[in-house]
mmCIF file of all heavy atoms in Angstrom:
data_model
loop_
_atom_site.group_PDB
_atom_site.id
_atom_site.type_symbol
_atom_site.label_atom_id
_atom_site.label_comp_id
_atom_site.label_asym_id
_atom_site.label_seq_id
_atom_site.Cartn_x
_atom_site.Cartn_y
_atom_site.Cartn_z
ATOM 1 N N ARG A 32 12.811 -7.831 3.041
ATOM 2 C CA ARG A 32 13.352 -8.073 4.363
ATOM 3 C C ARG A 32 12.765 -7.154 5.417
ATOM 4 O O ARG A 32 12.660 -7.491 6.598
ATOM 5 C CB ARG A 32 14.896 -7.923 4.374
ATOM 6 C CG ARG A 32 15.388 -6.570 3.956
ATOM 7 C CD ARG A 32 16.907 -6.490 3.935
ATOM 8 N NE ARG A 32 17.405 -5.251 3.376
ATOM 9 C CZ ARG A 32 17.462 -4.099 4.066
ATOM 10 N NH1 ARG A 32 17.068 -4.090 5.338
ATOM 11 N NH2 ARG A 32 17.905 -2.985 3.521
ATOM 12 N N VAL A 33 12.328 -5.948 4.993
ATOM 13 C CA VAL A 33 11.651 -5.046 5.897
ATOM 14 C C VAL A 33 10.259 -5.576 6.280
ATOM 15 O O VAL A 33 9.885 -5.628 7.451
ATOM 16 C CB VAL A 33 11.540 -3.622 5.276
ATOM 17 C CG1 VAL A 33 10.511 -2.774 6.021
ATOM 18 C CG2 VAL A 33 12.892 -2.942 5.318
ATOM 19 N N LEU A 34 9.469 -5.961 5.278
ATOM 20 C CA LEU A 34 8.152 -6.474 5.510
ATOM 21 C C LEU A 34 8.177 -7.774 6.334
ATOM 22 O O LEU A 34 7.324 -8.034 7.168
ATOM 23 C CB LEU A 34 7.420 -6.702 4.200
ATOM 24 C CG LEU A 34 7.216 -5.385 3.367
ATOM 25 C CD1 LEU A 34 6.528 -5.725 2.073
ATOM 26 C CD2 LEU A 34 6.450 -4.338 4.138
ATOM 27 N N GLU A 35 9.216 -8.588 6.092
ATOM 28 C CA GLU A 35 9.345 -9.843 6.828
ATOM 29 C C GLU A 35 9.621 -9.618 8.302
ATOM 30 O O GLU A 35 9.377 -10.508 9.158
ATOM 31 C CB GLU A 35 10.455 -10.664 6.218
ATOM 32 C CG GLU A 35 10.141 -11.245 4.852
ATOM 33 C CD GLU A 35 11.284 -11.875 4.151
ATOM 34 O OE1 GLU A 35 12.461 -11.672 4.637
ATOM 35 O OE2 GLU A 35 11.102 -12.530 3.127
ATOM 36 N N GLN A 36 10.190 -8.462 8.657
ATOM 37 C CA GLN A 36 10.589 -8.188 10.021
ATOM 38 C C GLN A 36 9.365 -7.725 10.890
ATOM 39 O O GLN A 36 9.445 -7.666 12.095
ATOM 40 C CB GLN A 36 11.655 -7.109 10.027
ATOM 41 C CG GLN A 36 12.516 -7.069 11.293
ATOM 42 C CD GLN A 36 13.728 -6.156 11.132
ATOM 43 O OE1 GLN A 36 14.154 -5.844 10.018
ATOM 44 N NE2 GLN A 36 14.257 -5.713 12.238
ATOM 45 N N ILE A 37 8.247 -7.339 10.224
ATOM 46 C CA ILE A 37 7.054 -6.866 10.911
ATOM 47 C C ILE A 37 6.119 -8.001 11.308
ATOM 48 O O ILE A 37 5.755 -8.819 10.474
ATOM 49 C CB ILE A 37 6.310 -5.868 10.017
ATOM 50 C CG1 ILE A 37 7.242 -4.736 9.611
ATOM 51 C CG2 ILE A 37 5.099 -5.324 10.741
ATOM 52 C CD1 ILE A 37 6.628 -3.872 8.477
ATOM 53 N N ASP A 38 5.746 -8.020 12.570
ATOM 54 C CA ASP A 38 4.809 -9.028 13.021
ATOM 55 C C ASP A 38 3.383 -8.603 12.694
ATOM 56 O O ASP A 38 2.623 -9.265 11.963
ATOM 57 C CB ASP A 38 4.968 -9.258 14.513
ATOM 58 C CG ASP A 38 4.136 -10.432 15.034
ATOM 59 O OD1 ASP A 38 3.144 -10.803 14.378
ATOM 60 O OD2 ASP A 38 4.482 -10.969 16.106
ATOM 61 N N GLN A 39 2.942 -7.457 13.253
ATOM 62 C CA GLN A 39 1.604 -6.952 13.017
ATOM 63 C C GLN A 39 1.697 -5.552 12.342
ATOM 64 O O GLN A 39 2.523 -4.733 12.756
ATOM 65 C CB GLN A 39 0.813 -6.795 14.342
ATOM 66 C CG GLN A 39 0.744 -8.088 15.152
ATOM 67 C CD GLN A 39 -0.196 -9.085 14.575
ATOM 68 O OE1 GLN A 39 -1.228 -8.717 13.996
ATOM 69 N NE2 GLN A 39 0.143 -10.377 14.706
ATOM 70 N N LEU A 40 0.839 -5.326 11.342
ATOM 71 C CA LEU A 40 0.872 -4.097 10.565
ATOM 72 C C LEU A 40 -0.485 -3.398 10.650
ATOM 73 O O LEU A 40 -1.536 -4.078 10.414
ATOM 74 C CB LEU A 40 1.199 -4.391 9.128
ATOM 75 C CG LEU A 40 1.187 -3.216 8.122
ATOM 76 C CD1 LEU A 40 2.288 -2.257 8.405
ATOM 77 C CD2 LEU A 40 1.323 -3.766 6.692
ATOM 78 N N THR A 41 -0.521 -2.125 11.008
ATOM 79 C CA THR A 41 -1.756 -1.380 10.971
ATOM 80 C C THR A 41 -1.548 -0.159 10.116
ATOM 81 O O THR A 41 -0.569 0.568 10.254
ATOM 82 C CB THR A 41 -2.265 -0.975 12.390
ATOM 83 O OG1 THR A 41 -3.466 -0.215 12.257
ATOM 84 C CG2 THR A 41 -1.220 -0.197 13.167
ATOM 85 N N VAL A 42 -2.450 0.055 9.143
ATOM 86 C CA VAL A 42 -2.281 1.067 8.135
ATOM 87 C C VAL A 42 -3.573 1.862 7.949
ATOM 88 O O VAL A 42 -4.647 1.264 7.956
ATOM 89 C CB VAL A 42 -1.919 0.452 6.733
ATOM 90 C CG1 VAL A 42 -1.525 1.565 5.730
ATOM 91 C CG2 VAL A 42 -0.851 -0.577 6.876
ATOM 92 N N GLU A 43 -3.423 3.195 7.782
ATOM 93 C CA GLU A 43 -4.551 3.981 7.299
ATOM 94 C C GLU A 43 -4.314 4.254 5.850
ATOM 95 O O GLU A 43 -3.421 5.065 5.507
ATOM 96 C CB GLU A 43 -4.707 5.276 8.100
ATOM 97 C CG GLU A 43 -5.956 6.045 7.649
ATOM 98 C CD GLU A 43 -6.299 7.224 8.574
ATOM 99 O OE1 GLU A 43 -6.267 7.045 9.811
ATOM 100 O OE2 GLU A 43 -6.572 8.300 8.069
ATOM 101 N N PHE A 44 -5.020 3.586 4.983
ATOM 102 C CA PHE A 44 -4.919 3.816 3.543
ATOM 103 C C PHE A 44 -5.753 5.017 3.084
ATOM 104 O O PHE A 44 -6.891 5.181 3.562
ATOM 105 C CB PHE A 44 -5.356 2.564 2.776
ATOM 106 C CG PHE A 44 -4.358 1.446 2.819
ATOM 107 C CD1 PHE A 44 -4.675 0.268 3.477
ATOM 108 C CD2 PHE A 44 -3.121 1.559 2.227
ATOM 109 C CE1 PHE A 44 -3.777 -0.792 3.517
ATOM 110 C CE2 PHE A 44 -2.222 0.514 2.257
ATOM 111 C CZ PHE A 44 -2.532 -0.667 2.906
ATOM 112 N N HIS A 45 -5.207 5.779 2.171
ATOM 113 C CA HIS A 45 -5.865 6.969 1.631
ATOM 114 C C HIS A 45 -5.986 6.851 0.133
ATOM 115 O O HIS A 45 -5.000 6.474 -0.488
ATOM 116 C CB HIS A 45 -5.137 8.239 2.026
ATOM 117 C CG HIS A 45 -4.896 8.389 3.503
ATOM 118 N ND1 HIS A 45 -3.851 7.740 4.113
ATOM 119 C CD2 HIS A 45 -5.550 9.097 4.414
ATOM 120 C CE1 HIS A 45 -3.890 8.065 5.426
ATOM 121 N NE2 HIS A 45 -4.916 8.900 5.614
ATOM 122 N N TRP A 46 -7.116 7.195 -0.432
ATOM 123 C CA TRP A 46 -7.242 7.231 -1.869
ATOM 124 C C TRP A 46 -6.775 8.584 -2.389
ATOM 125 O O TRP A 46 -6.765 9.566 -1.699
ATOM 126 C CB TRP A 46 -8.663 6.980 -2.309
ATOM 127 C CG TRP A 46 -9.699 7.950 -1.827
ATOM 128 C CD1 TRP A 46 -9.865 9.239 -2.265
ATOM 129 C CD2 TRP A 46 -10.634 7.753 -0.787
ATOM 130 N NE1 TRP A 46 -10.895 9.837 -1.585
ATOM 131 C CE2 TRP A 46 -11.373 8.965 -0.670
ATOM 132 C CE3 TRP A 46 -10.942 6.677 0.048
ATOM 133 C CZ2 TRP A 46 -12.396 9.114 0.262
ATOM 134 C CZ3 TRP A 46 -11.952 6.830 0.937
ATOM 135 C CH2 TRP A 46 -12.694 7.999 1.047
ATOM 136 N N LEU A 47 -6.379 8.594 -3.666
ATOM 137 C CA LEU A 47 -5.874 9.818 -4.287
ATOM 138 C C LEU A 47 -6.703 10.276 -5.411
ATOM 139 O O LEU A 47 -6.311 11.139 -6.209
ATOM 140 C CB LEU A 47 -4.415 9.609 -4.770
ATOM 141 C CG LEU A 47 -3.461 9.084 -3.680
ATOM 142 C CD1 LEU A 47 -2.055 8.924 -4.254
ATOM 143 C CD2 LEU A 47 -3.435 9.997 -2.481
ATOM 144 N N SER A 48 -7.905 9.716 -5.540
ATOM 145 C CA SER A 48 -8.788 10.043 -6.642
ATOM 146 C C SER A 48 -9.957 10.882 -6.150
ATOM 147 O O SER A 48 -10.367 10.769 -4.994
ATOM 148 C CB SER A 48 -9.305 8.744 -7.307
ATOM 149 O OG SER A 48 -10.307 9.057 -8.214
ATOM 150 N N ASP A 49 -10.524 11.673 -7.069
ATOM 151 C CA ASP A 49 -11.735 12.416 -6.701
ATOM 152 C C ASP A 49 -12.913 11.497 -6.541
ATOM 153 O O ASP A 49 -13.848 11.807 -5.843
ATOM 154 C CB ASP A 49 -12.050 13.469 -7.782
ATOM 155 C CG ASP A 49 -11.067 14.638 -7.701
ATOM 156 O OD1 ASP A 49 -10.542 14.895 -6.637
ATOM 157 O OD2 ASP A 49 -10.845 15.267 -8.767
ATOM 158 N N GLU A 50 -12.872 10.361 -7.196
ATOM 159 C CA GLU A 50 -13.926 9.364 -7.056
ATOM 160 C C GLU A 50 -13.578 8.479 -5.864
ATOM 161 O O GLU A 50 -12.506 7.940 -5.767
ATOM 162 C CB GLU A 50 -14.027 8.523 -8.326
ATOM 163 C CG GLU A 50 -14.450 9.333 -9.549
ATOM 164 C CD GLU A 50 -14.541 8.432 -10.792
ATOM 165 O OE1 GLU A 50 -14.472 7.195 -10.635
ATOM 166 O OE2 GLU A 50 -14.706 8.996 -11.875
ATOM 167 N N LYS A 51 -14.556 8.285 -5.000
ATOM 168 C CA LYS A 51 -14.264 7.644 -3.734
ATOM 169 C C LYS A 51 -13.726 6.233 -3.920
ATOM 170 O O LYS A 51 -12.994 5.697 -3.072
ATOM 171 C CB LYS A 51 -15.495 7.628 -2.849
ATOM 172 C CG LYS A 51 -15.768 8.999 -2.249
ATOM 173 C CD LYS A 51 -16.837 8.910 -1.132
ATOM 174 C CE LYS A 51 -16.965 10.222 -0.417
ATOM 175 N NZ LYS A 51 -17.962 10.155 0.649
ATOM 176 N N VAL A 52 -14.168 5.525 -4.932
ATOM 177 C CA VAL A 52 -13.675 4.147 -5.108
ATOM 178 C C VAL A 52 -12.768 4.043 -6.331
ATOM 179 O O VAL A 52 -12.399 2.942 -6.710
ATOM 180 C CB VAL A 52 -14.859 3.177 -5.248
ATOM 181 C CG1 VAL A 52 -15.656 3.128 -4.006
ATOM 182 C CG2 VAL A 52 -15.720 3.517 -6.416
ATOM 183 N N GLY A 53 -12.377 5.151 -6.915
ATOM 184 C CA GLY A 53 -11.506 5.116 -8.116
ATOM 185 C C GLY A 53 -10.176 4.477 -7.840
ATOM 186 O O GLY A 53 -9.602 3.773 -8.693
ATOM 187 N N TRP A 54 -9.662 4.623 -6.604
ATOM 188 C CA TRP A 54 -8.353 4.098 -6.304
ATOM 189 C C TRP A 54 -8.364 2.562 -6.326
ATOM 190 O O TRP A 54 -7.313 1.949 -6.543
ATOM 191 C CB TRP A 54 -7.926 4.562 -4.906
ATOM 192 C CG TRP A 54 -8.830 4.156 -3.789
ATOM 193 C CD1 TRP A 54 -9.939 4.798 -3.362
ATOM 194 C CD2 TRP A 54 -8.704 2.996 -2.948
ATOM 195 N NE1 TRP A 54 -10.551 4.144 -2.333
ATOM 196 C CE2 TRP A 54 -9.804 3.034 -2.043
ATOM 197 C CE3 TRP A 54 -7.814 1.974 -2.887
ATOM 198 C CZ2 TRP A 54 -9.996 2.048 -1.119
ATOM 199 C CZ3 TRP A 54 -8.026 0.975 -1.963
ATOM 200 C CH2 TRP A 54 -9.092 0.983 -1.075
ATOM 201 N N VAL A 55 -9.501 1.913 -6.112
ATOM 202 C CA VAL A 55 -9.568 0.464 -6.101
ATOM 203 C C VAL A 55 -9.171 -0.080 -7.482
ATOM 204 O O VAL A 55 -8.626 -1.205 -7.588
ATOM 205 C CB VAL A 55 -10.988 -0.032 -5.722
ATOM 206 C CG1 VAL A 55 -11.097 -1.531 -5.781
ATOM 207 C CG2 VAL A 55 -11.348 0.484 -4.349
ATOM 208 N N GLN A 56 -9.423 0.709 -8.526
ATOM 209 C CA GLN A 56 -9.140 0.237 -9.895
ATOM 210 C C GLN A 56 -7.714 0.527 -10.318
ATOM 211 O O GLN A 56 -7.281 0.065 -11.376
ATOM 212 C CB GLN A 56 -10.101 0.949 -10.880
ATOM 213 C CG GLN A 56 -11.579 0.776 -10.508
ATOM 214 C CD GLN A 56 -12.041 -0.630 -10.570
ATOM 215 O OE1 GLN A 56 -11.455 -1.476 -11.295
ATOM 216 N NE2 GLN A 56 -13.081 -0.960 -9.824
ATOM 217 N N SER A 57 -6.951 1.256 -9.527
ATOM 218 C CA SER A 57 -5.599 1.644 -9.922
ATOM 219 C C SER A 57 -4.619 0.479 -9.835
ATOM 220 O O SER A 57 -4.560 -0.220 -8.817
ATOM 221 C CB SER A 57 -5.114 2.800 -9.035
ATOM 222 O OG SER A 57 -3.725 2.960 -9.169
ATOM 223 N N ASP A 58 -3.834 0.304 -10.845
ATOM 224 C CA ASP A 58 -2.867 -0.746 -10.892
ATOM 225 C C ASP A 58 -1.830 -0.591 -9.743
ATOM 226 O O ASP A 58 -1.443 -1.596 -9.081
ATOM 227 C CB ASP A 58 -2.109 -0.821 -12.223
ATOM 228 C CG ASP A 58 -0.998 -1.814 -12.269
ATOM 229 O OD1 ASP A 58 -1.316 -3.020 -12.211
ATOM 230 O OD2 ASP A 58 0.166 -1.397 -12.301
ATOM 231 N N LYS A 59 -1.413 0.614 -9.494
ATOM 232 C CA LYS A 59 -0.439 0.863 -8.446
ATOM 233 C C LYS A 59 -0.960 0.405 -7.088
ATOM 234 O O LYS A 59 -0.278 -0.291 -6.342
ATOM 235 C CB LYS A 59 -0.089 2.332 -8.383
ATOM 236 C CG LYS A 59 0.873 2.699 -7.236
ATOM 237 C CD LYS A 59 1.297 4.160 -7.380
ATOM 238 C CE LYS A 59 0.971 4.935 -6.176
ATOM 239 N NZ LYS A 59 1.437 6.299 -6.235
ATOM 240 N N TYR A 60 -2.198 0.767 -6.764
ATOM 241 C CA TYR A 60 -2.719 0.458 -5.468
ATOM 242 C C TYR A 60 -2.973 -1.090 -5.347
ATOM 243 O O TYR A 60 -2.747 -1.669 -4.279
ATOM 244 C CB TYR A 60 -4.019 1.200 -5.205
ATOM 245 C CG TYR A 60 -3.848 2.714 -5.291
ATOM 246 C CD1 TYR A 60 -4.893 3.538 -5.525
ATOM 247 C CD2 TYR A 60 -2.578 3.290 -5.167
ATOM 248 C CE1 TYR A 60 -4.787 4.922 -5.597
ATOM 249 C CE2 TYR A 60 -2.421 4.677 -5.223
ATOM 250 C CZ TYR A 60 -3.516 5.468 -5.456
ATOM 251 O OH TYR A 60 -3.367 6.843 -5.531
ATOM 252 N N LEU A 61 -3.412 -1.663 -6.425
ATOM 253 C CA LEU A 61 -3.621 -3.120 -6.413
ATOM 254 C C LEU A 61 -2.307 -3.852 -6.155
ATOM 255 O O LEU A 61 -2.250 -4.872 -5.468
ATOM 256 C CB LEU A 61 -4.279 -3.584 -7.668
ATOM 257 C CG LEU A 61 -5.765 -3.229 -7.835
ATOM 258 C CD1 LEU A 61 -6.282 -3.602 -9.206
ATOM 259 C CD2 LEU A 61 -6.601 -3.890 -6.759
ATOM 260 N N ARG A 62 -1.244 -3.337 -6.769
ATOM 261 C CA ARG A 62 0.081 -3.967 -6.544
ATOM 262 C C ARG A 62 0.528 -3.904 -5.100
ATOM 263 O O ARG A 62 1.112 -4.842 -4.603
ATOM 264 C CB ARG A 62 1.120 -3.307 -7.471
ATOM 265 C CG ARG A 62 1.058 -3.751 -8.922
ATOM 266 C CD ARG A 62 2.222 -3.280 -9.732
ATOM 267 N NE ARG A 62 2.177 -1.826 -9.950
ATOM 268 C CZ ARG A 62 3.172 -1.011 -9.642
ATOM 269 N NH1 ARG A 62 4.246 -1.418 -9.052
ATOM 270 N NH2 ARG A 62 3.054 0.316 -9.891
ATOM 271 N N VAL A 63 0.200 -2.790 -4.439
ATOM 272 C CA VAL A 63 0.544 -2.669 -3.026
ATOM 273 C C VAL A 63 -0.223 -3.680 -2.219
ATOM 274 O O VAL A 63 0.340 -4.420 -1.379
ATOM 275 C CB VAL A 63 0.259 -1.253 -2.521
ATOM 276 C CG1 VAL A 63 0.381 -1.184 -1.003
ATOM 277 C CG2 VAL A 63 1.203 -0.267 -3.152
ATOM 278 N N VAL A 64 -1.522 -3.806 -2.435
ATOM 279 C CA VAL A 64 -2.376 -4.719 -1.689
ATOM 280 C C VAL A 64 -1.906 -6.162 -1.926
ATOM 281 O O VAL A 64 -1.789 -6.983 -1.013
ATOM 282 C CB VAL A 64 -3.874 -4.553 -2.055
ATOM 283 C CG1 VAL A 64 -4.702 -5.631 -1.404
ATOM 284 C CG2 VAL A 64 -4.349 -3.179 -1.596
ATOM 285 N N GLN A 65 -1.655 -6.506 -3.203
ATOM 286 C CA GLN A 65 -1.190 -7.850 -3.545
ATOM 287 C C GLN A 65 0.155 -8.169 -2.911
ATOM 288 O O GLN A 65 0.380 -9.293 -2.442
ATOM 289 C CB GLN A 65 -1.159 -8.011 -5.061
ATOM 290 C CG GLN A 65 -2.519 -8.019 -5.704
ATOM 291 C CD GLN A 65 -2.494 -7.825 -7.194
ATOM 292 O OE1 GLN A 65 -1.424 -7.511 -7.774
ATOM 293 N NE2 GLN A 65 -3.653 -7.982 -7.854
ATOM 294 N N ARG A 66 1.003 -7.149 -2.838
ATOM 295 C CA ARG A 66 2.315 -7.406 -2.240
ATOM 296 C C ARG A 66 2.179 -7.626 -0.727
ATOM 297 O O ARG A 66 2.783 -8.527 -0.144
ATOM 298 C CB ARG A 66 3.240 -6.186 -2.500
ATOM 299 C CG ARG A 66 4.614 -6.393 -1.905
ATOM 300 C CD ARG A 66 5.660 -5.601 -2.682
ATOM 301 N NE ARG A 66 6.954 -6.044 -2.212
ATOM 302 C CZ ARG A 66 7.767 -5.294 -1.446
ATOM 303 N NH1 ARG A 66 7.403 -4.091 -1.093
ATOM 304 N NH2 ARG A 66 8.941 -5.731 -1.087
ATOM 305 N N LEU A 67 1.373 -6.796 -0.059
ATOM 306 C CA LEU A 67 1.206 -6.960 1.383
ATOM 307 C C LEU A 67 0.557 -8.314 1.731
ATOM 308 O O LEU A 67 0.877 -8.897 2.763
ATOM 309 C CB LEU A 67 0.366 -5.840 1.939
ATOM 310 C CG LEU A 67 1.016 -4.432 1.929
ATOM 311 C CD1 LEU A 67 0.056 -3.370 2.482
ATOM 312 C CD2 LEU A 67 2.314 -4.420 2.719
ATOM 313 N N LYS A 68 -0.283 -8.823 0.832
ATOM 314 C CA LYS A 68 -0.888 -10.111 1.076
ATOM 315 C C LYS A 68 0.123 -11.247 1.110
ATOM 316 O O LYS A 68 -0.171 -12.329 1.619
ATOM 317 C CB LYS A 68 -1.988 -10.376 0.005
ATOM 318 C CG LYS A 68 -3.274 -9.573 0.236
ATOM 319 C CD LYS A 68 -4.259 -9.838 -0.889
ATOM 320 C CE LYS A 68 -4.735 -11.278 -0.892
ATOM 321 N NZ LYS A 68 -5.774 -11.508 -1.972
ATOM 322 N N GLN A 69 1.298 -11.044 0.529
ATOM 323 C CA GLN A 69 2.339 -12.044 0.575
ATOM 324 C C GLN A 69 2.946 -12.176 1.968
ATOM 325 O O GLN A 69 3.520 -13.235 2.307
ATOM 326 C CB GLN A 69 3.462 -11.695 -0.410
ATOM 327 C CG GLN A 69 3.043 -11.644 -1.893
ATOM 328 C CD GLN A 69 4.166 -11.161 -2.764
ATOM 329 O OE1 GLN A 69 5.340 -11.423 -2.507
ATOM 330 N NE2 GLN A 69 3.832 -10.478 -3.838
ATOM 331 N N PHE A 70 2.787 -11.156 2.809
ATOM 332 C CA PHE A 70 3.381 -11.160 4.123
ATOM 333 C C PHE A 70 2.384 -11.103 5.274
ATOM 334 O O PHE A 70 2.755 -11.481 6.385
ATOM 335 C CB PHE A 70 4.329 -9.930 4.240
ATOM 336 C CG PHE A 70 5.414 -9.894 3.223
ATOM 337 C CD1 PHE A 70 5.232 -9.251 2.011
ATOM 338 C CD2 PHE A 70 6.629 -10.542 3.468
ATOM 339 C CE1 PHE A 70 6.259 -9.217 1.077
ATOM 340 C CE2 PHE A 70 7.654 -10.530 2.531
ATOM 341 C CZ PHE A 70 7.467 -9.859 1.311
ATOM 342 N N PHE A 71 1.157 -10.689 4.991
ATOM 343 C CA PHE A 71 0.205 -10.484 6.068
ATOM 344 C C PHE A 71 -1.189 -11.016 5.685
ATOM 345 O O PHE A 71 -1.495 -11.136 4.513
ATOM 346 C CB PHE A 71 0.066 -8.975 6.354
ATOM 347 C CG PHE A 71 1.367 -8.272 6.667
ATOM 348 C CD1 PHE A 71 2.014 -7.545 5.706
ATOM 349 C CD2 PHE A 71 1.900 -8.363 7.930
ATOM 350 C CE1 PHE A 71 3.184 -6.914 5.947
ATOM 351 C CE2 PHE A 71 3.127 -7.758 8.234
ATOM 352 C CZ PHE A 71 3.781 -7.007 7.234
#
C-alpha cells in the first residue's frame, strides 16, 4: 500500500560489496529490484 501510493520514485542505490558489481548477484538486492518493478 505504501509503494502503490507513490507516483514517481527516485532512488540512489548503493552497493554493500567490496566488488563493484558484486551486489548485482545478491539475492536480497535482486528481490528489491524485482519488487519495485511490480509498481514502477
Side-chain angles (χ1 to χ4, degrees):
R32 60 181 174 80
V33 163
L34 299 178
E35 289 170 349
Q36 203 170 338
I37 303 167
D38 188 338
Q39 304 288 324
L40 176 67
T41 178
V42 189
E43 184 170 314
F44 285 114
H45 305 81
W46 61 76
L47 305 182
S48 170
D49 287 333
E50 296 180 9
K51 285 191 172 182
V52 295
W54 61 274
V55 178
Q56 306 297 334
S57 166
D58 175 68
K59 175 172 124 176
Y60 302 159
L61 287 174
R62 283 190 289 125
V63 170
V64 173
Q65 289 165 353
R66 181 152 191 254
L67 291 178
K68 284 177 66 178
Q69 297 176 33
F70 300 91
F71 306 99

